[in-house]
Amino acid sequence: MPGPRADGDAGNIFELGKREMEKVEISYEEVKNWKDTEYLWVDLRDEGSVSYGGISGARWIPNSNLAERKKELPIDKRIVLYCARGVVSTEAAVQLRKDGYEAYSLAGGYYSYLSLKMEEDTVNGTERNAQIELSIRKKFHKELFTKFAKAINEYELVKENDHIAVCISGGKDSMLMAKLFQELKRHNKFAFELTFLVMDPGYSSANRKIIEQNAKLMNIPITIFESDIFDAVDTIEKSPCYLCARMRRGHLYKHAQDLGCNKIALGHHYDDVIETILMGMLYGGQMQTMMPKLHSTNFAGMELIRPLYLIREEDIKHWRDYNDLHFLQCACHFTETCSSCRDDGTSNSKRLEIKKLIADLKKVNPFVESNIFKSVENVSLSTIIAYKEKGVRHHFLDTYDKE
């Protein structure tokens, strides 16, 4: 039986002694021994983090809204709170106990649950992988594999004798991409090779283990190489994520090239494309898109491809949740302390703002997403004031009088 409630004078978490901490924190194994009717999971993470997955059946109440929404919680049930690492959830549990709730904080947060879940999954790995692959062939064939194959054919992403480095970050998109490539390989009409490449830029041992366990569960034979990128950008104050992304891509190109690959495949999907279009317009003052493939400017003979280009994120999430899969959100030094364990709003990225904007626009116009996507396919240069081509700026006045 879990410990009794802390009394109303418990105070702030930092004032609690070891015994009080033990009363508040509870392990996932302990919770599993309770009856489902006895407790309620409450997810305190931000919207962006929750979109990457959570504990099944949990009620989502962002920590910033907990004080005003605590009346929604049943007073006759044990309330088990979790955030990313168990920091904010412990504070919140203490506060709820002061208000009369039997509240607990999941020790180690969602990441501890994730690690345990991976260990459970690998016990039945062969059977689980068969189910995952069957779901791609049957239930999600139209939404996932058909659109994957369409992008490859329409944009000529894979050609005979290609050697593709399928770059895996550990998230849902890249893991699905790896499985789709394996399925494509079974049906391919010409020869091409795959290397499933994972770069460890400085992951904690726990996060690296999650990636390795997921790869084992899904029968993806990964090749891992290490770099010190996280340490290199750790002290950068201005745009560390942008610099990190640039450095990671360079390392991936270099290592893939050393392995004899001529292409790297990244897991950007349809929603990434339309969000990039709007972000460029609203925040960058420019019209541009995320291209389905690009020649590398720094690595001769190398090319970047995006095979998930036509796949919707909601279908990826549906596939993930249907198979009860759990992936990393982001494992860099900046989010391991975790943005979802803070209340200052820094986790609300520009991309999340754009996601919300598109969702609001869709309420009025159900075709808004496809219209955004098509807008960069139907550009009429005669109606554009200025545009750039290969770095050269062209203005409509350059030819206006000549016409």
Side-chain angles (χ1 to χ4, degrees), residues 334-364:
F334 298 98
T335 56
E336 284 204 308
T337 53
C338 186
S339 61
S340 58
C341 277
R342 296 157 59 179
D343 296 321
D344 58 9
T346 55
S347 63
N348 294 322
S349 67
K350 289 291 185 288
R351 189 166 290 274
L352 184 56
E353 291 177 19
I354 292 295
K355 281 182 182 288
K356 292 179 179 178
L357 174 60
I358 294 173
D360 287 340
L361 291 172
K362 189 177 180 180
K363 296 174 184 176
V364 180

Side-chain angles (χ1 to χ4, degrees), residues 35-47:
K35 295 179 180 179
D36 292 342
T37 56
E38 293 179 340
Y39 69 96
L40 173 69
W41 286 109
V42 176
D43 191 336
L44 299 179
R45 298 173 300 157
D46 62 34
E47 185 176 357

Side-chain angles (χ1 to χ4, degrees), residues 275-288:
E275 289 160 14
T276 298
I277 294 170
L278 277 190
M279 286 177 70
M281 294 173 62
L282 300 181
Y283 297 119
Q286 57 188 341
M287 187 70 182
Q288 62 179 14

Side-chain angles (χ1 to χ4, degrees), residues 84-85 108 110-112 114-115 118 169-171 175 198-215 222 224 230 326-338:
R85 297 288 179 182
Y110 179 64
Y111 277 81
S112 67
L114 202 58
S115 181
M118 294 300 99
S169 65
M175 284 291 190
V198 176
M199 179 179 65
D200 181 347
Y203 291 137
S204 67
S205 58
N207 284 326
R208 176 158 168 166
K209 183 179 179 182
I210 289 171
I211 295 174
E212 291 172 335
Q213 287 177 322
N214 263 325
I222 56 175
I224 302 178
F230 283 174
H326 302 268
F327 302 111
L328 287 181
Q329 173 187 354
C330 177
C332 71
H333 289 178
F334 298 98
T335 56
E336 284 204 308
T337 53
C338 186

Side-chain angles (χ1 to χ4, degrees), residues 124-169:
N124 301 311
T126 302
E127 180 181 346
R128 290 275 284 120
N129 181 58
Q131 294 171 348
I132 293 166
E133 292 182 349
L134 183 63
S135 74
I136 291 174
R137 297 187 192 119
K138 299 292 185 179
K139 185 175 179 61
F140 298 99
H141 188 271
K142 181 180 178 181
E143 294 84 356
L144 299 180
F145 186 75
T146 297
K147 291 182 178 180
F148 179 77
K150 181 180 179 181
I152 286 174
N153 292 327
E154 187 169 324
Y155 303 117
E156 300 178 355
L157 303 183
V158 179
K159 297 183 178 180
E160 190 170 5
N161 297 321
D162 275 347
H163 187 173
I164 303 167
V166 181
C167 300
I168 298 174
S169 65

